[in-house]
Amino acid sequence: MAQAAKTAVAAAPAARAALGLLGIVQAAFAFLAFWDLAHRDSRQVTGPKPIWIPVILVNWIGPAAYFLFGIKR
């Protein structure tokens, strides 16, 4: 039991670093979606632009949905 606890503690810094990196990537993804929404003409966005604001706030799924379905091609 003590060995498992030592292994978990030893892995904690690497796990925390990985989660921190994922958090930064997710924040950047959301920022890019908000930036694109703010600078894109409303005629190029599917639906009203204010509807996309809370959608983008949904982790990972929101920005992905905006880039996949929110931009008219």
Side-chain angles (χ1 to χ4, degrees):
M1 186 76 155
Q3 184 64 26
K6 287 180 184 177
T7 304
V9 170
R16 288 189 350 200
L19 286 175
L21 182 61
L22 281 174
I24 291 170
V25 170
Q26 185 221 337
F29 194 33
F31 172 79
L32 288 174
F34 280 124
W35 186 87
D36 185 79
L37 181 65
H39 290 90
R40 188 171 295 274
D41 187 42
S42 61
R43 290 174 284 161
Q44 297 176 330
V45 177
T46 304
K49 287 174 83 171
I51 297 298
W52 284 104
I53 294 170
V55 172
I56 292 172
L57 289 173
V58 177
N59 295 340
W60 296 104
I61 296 170
Y66 170 72
F67 284 120
L68 290 173
F69 307 115
I71 299 172
K72 291 182 182 175
R73 307 211 190 270

